[in-house]
């Protein structure tokens, strides 16, 4: 057994020389603190980065929602513009403003001569205004104005009469321009 005790002493002695105890533990403390501080700083940095990304994500979703709402509003406005731009709607609005369809057009040639026969525009009853709305009690077509702007006395609520200024237009074909 004496051989094993000497071996243990020898082994313990070698280990003691490899890992000295005493003043070296004080040298490890700053290193451990540095590693802990670096890890804590890294974790805090990741937390702040994650918070910033989440804030950006919330802002992005809010902007996407606003974009969707504005796109819907734009499409609704475009539908309104399209409905007001339809020929029937334009004609109805023009008649409400007292405008009448023009007669056959006359054109000026480059040399100053007139091609075609100009004629005065006359008011004709509109097919859309000829049928009054029943059961509304409104004046309907009786409030229709002549081209001069005054209400037509010949108009009644049940049957609109043509304006006194309407005359049959001469049967002339509209001039055509060459090259078209």
């Amino acid at each position: 057994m004496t051989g094993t005790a000497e071996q243990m002493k020898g082994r313990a002695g070698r280990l003691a020389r490899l890992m000295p105890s005493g003043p070296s533990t004080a040298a490890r403390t700053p290193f451990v603190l540095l590693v802990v501080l670096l890890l804590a700083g890294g974790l805090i940095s990741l937390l702040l980065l994650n918070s910033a990304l989440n804030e950006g994500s919330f802002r992005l979703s809010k902007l996407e929602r606003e974009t969707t709402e504005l796109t819907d509003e734009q499409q609704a406005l475009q539908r309104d513009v399209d409905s007001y731009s339809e020929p029937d709607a334009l004609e109805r609005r023009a008649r409400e403003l007292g405008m009448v369809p023009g007669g056959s057009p006359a054109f000026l040639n480059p040399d100053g001569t007139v091609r075609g026969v100009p004629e005065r525009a006359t008011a004709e009853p509109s097919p859309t205004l000829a049928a009054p709305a029943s059961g509304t009690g409104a004046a309907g077509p009786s409030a229709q104005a002549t081209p001069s702007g005054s209400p037509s006395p010949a108009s009644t609520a049940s049957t609109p009469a043509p304006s006194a200024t309407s005359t049959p237009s001469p049967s002339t074909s509209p001039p055509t321009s060459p090259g078209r």
Side-chain angles (χ1 to χ4, degrees):
M1 275 227 174
T2 58
T4 37
E6 286 180 10
Q7 276 183 336
M8 291 299 268
K9 271 188 179 179
R11 205 178 269 172
R14 282 193 302 252
L15 287 174
R17 280 181 289 174
L18 288 175
M19 296 175 47
S21 62
S24 64
T25 47
R28 274 192 213 165
T29 305
F31 176 73
V32 170
L33 285 176
L34 177 66
V35 169
V36 168
L37 287 176
L38 286 176
L39 286 174
L43 288 174
I44 290 173
S45 298
L46 284 175
L47 179 65
L48 292 175
L49 180 64
N50 191 18
S51 297
L53 289 175
N54 282 339
E55 181 183 346
S57 174
F58 286 132
R59 184 167 183 245
L60 178 66
S61 64
K62 178 184 173 191
L63 290 174
E64 286 175 347
R65 188 174 53 248
E66 287 177 5
T67 300
T68 303
E69 291 171 359
L70 290 174
T71 301
D72 291 345
E73 182 180 350
Q74 181 207 11
Q75 290 173 351
L77 291 173
Q78 186 63 45
R79 279 192 304 269
D80 289 347
V81 167
D82 291 343
S83 70
Y84 291 135
S85 299
E86 292 175 352
D88 292 341
L90 289 175
E91 179 187 7
R92 185 175 52 251
R93 182 70 180 132
R95 288 200 182 271
E96 287 173 2
L97 293 173
M99 300 173 83
V100 295
S104 62
F107 298 96
L108 290 177
N109 290 324
D111 61 356
T113 60
V114 177
R115 186 188 323 170
V117 179
E119 62 184 48
R120 184 177 184 87
T122 58
E124 299 173 2
S126 173
T128 58
L129 294 177
S134 61
T136 59
S142 66
Q144 196 177 41
T146 60
S148 65
S150 62
S152 173
S155 298
T156 62
S158 61
T159 57
S163 173
T165 59
S166 67
T167 58
S169 61
S171 60
T172 57
S173 62
T176 58
S177 58
R180 289 193 190 192

